[in-house]
Amino acid sequence: MSAPRERPLIVGLGGTIRAGSSTEKALTVALRAAEAGGAETRLLGGEFLASLPIFDPRPGEPTPAQRDLAEAIRAADGVIIASPGYHGSVSGVIKNALDTLELTRSDPAPYFQGKAVGCIISADGWQAAGTTLTALRAIIHALRGWPTPFGAALNAGAALFDERGECLDAKDAWQLATVAQQVMEFARMRQALNTRAAT
């Protein structure tokens, strides 16, 4: 077993294919909070999501983007997923990225096993945010992940961010920081367990 990293790696997956989307901005704020807590971070945002082909479960060679996604999740100590709420659930590009993790099915720790997964939802209204958060948590459970106790739900019916990408509402900033903090706490606990197991 390899020694754990001194700084946990938190991978952020999310956004939309529209550059500068509220969802990707929210994910970026959360990753900055994780960095402030001592993490290394990696963002797989909207541009990356758009490069993923529709997942095909039939045997075949994965594309470079598909391999990159699988390797990033394998390496992660924790994950934060940010999705817009589309018609009461996660967006197609987010679901496709999660479906692509079927590439890790035969790993010793497949999918999100052993990882905390923070959830961020940006939706045009509280009802859509709530149903999408519930849907995302169900998918994470199916992928053997540990959804954090707190999930951030942002109402995109009004402006959420200033020109620097900072939250306009202190409560939204608190939500995103809390998701990052809980992912970090779990990652640190897992690191401590792995260290004890290795000694």
Side-chain angles (χ1 to χ4, degrees), residues 82-107:
S83 175
Y86 285 176
H87 308 126
S89 191
V90 299
S91 69
V93 293
I94 295 296
K95 185 60 168 63
N96 183 54
L98 296 172
D99 290 344
T100 300
L101 295 181
E102 191 67 12
L103 295 172
T104 69
R105 177 187 182 126
S106 299
D107 289 3

Side-chain angles (χ1 to χ4, degrees), residues 128-142:
T131 58
T132 305
L133 180 58
T134 299
L136 182 55
R137 282 180 159 156
I139 293 167
I140 292 165
H141 278 138

Side-chain angles (χ1 to χ4, degrees), residues 32-179:
R32 284 202 301 263
E35 289 172 0
E40 295 180 36
T41 65
R42 181 175 179 194
L43 172 64
L44 300 176
E47 183 178 352
F48 175 82
L49 293 170
S51 74
L52 287 172
I54 297 296
F55 178 69
D56 184 346
R58 294 173 296 184
E61 187 67 21
T63 68
Q66 288 174 322
R67 282 196 299 270
D68 196 18
L69 173 60
E71 290 301 324
I73 298 303
R74 286 177 177 129
D77 296 296
V79 180
I80 302 175
I81 300 173
S83 175
Y86 285 176
H87 308 126
S89 191
V90 299
S91 69
V93 293
I94 295 296
K95 185 60 168 63
N96 183 54
L98 296 172
D99 290 344
T100 300
L101 295 181
E102 191 67 12
L103 295 172
T104 69
R105 177 187 182 126
S106 299
D107 289 3
Y111 313 122
F112 293 130
Q113 183 169 316
K115 304 179 197 298
V117 184
C119 302
I120 298 170
I121 304 301
S122 172
D124 193 8
W126 295 119
Q127 179 173 317
T131 58
T132 305
L133 180 58
T134 299
L136 182 55
R137 282 180 159 156
I139 293 167
I140 292 165
H141 278 138
L143 292 172
R144 306 186 191 181
W146 298 72
T148 56
F150 185 82
L154 307 184
N155 188 344
L160 295 173
F161 302 97
D162 63 21
E163 63 280 357
R164 297 172 299 148
E166 300 292 342
C167 294
L168 292 170
D169 188 326
K171 185 175 181 181
D172 290 342
W174 176 86
Q175 288 194 76
L176 298 173
T178 299
V179 168

Side-chain angles (χ1 to χ4, degrees), residues 23-38:
T23 307
E24 188 168 319
K25 287 179 180 176
L27 180 56
T28 300
V29 170
L31 291 177
R32 284 202 301 263
E35 289 172 0

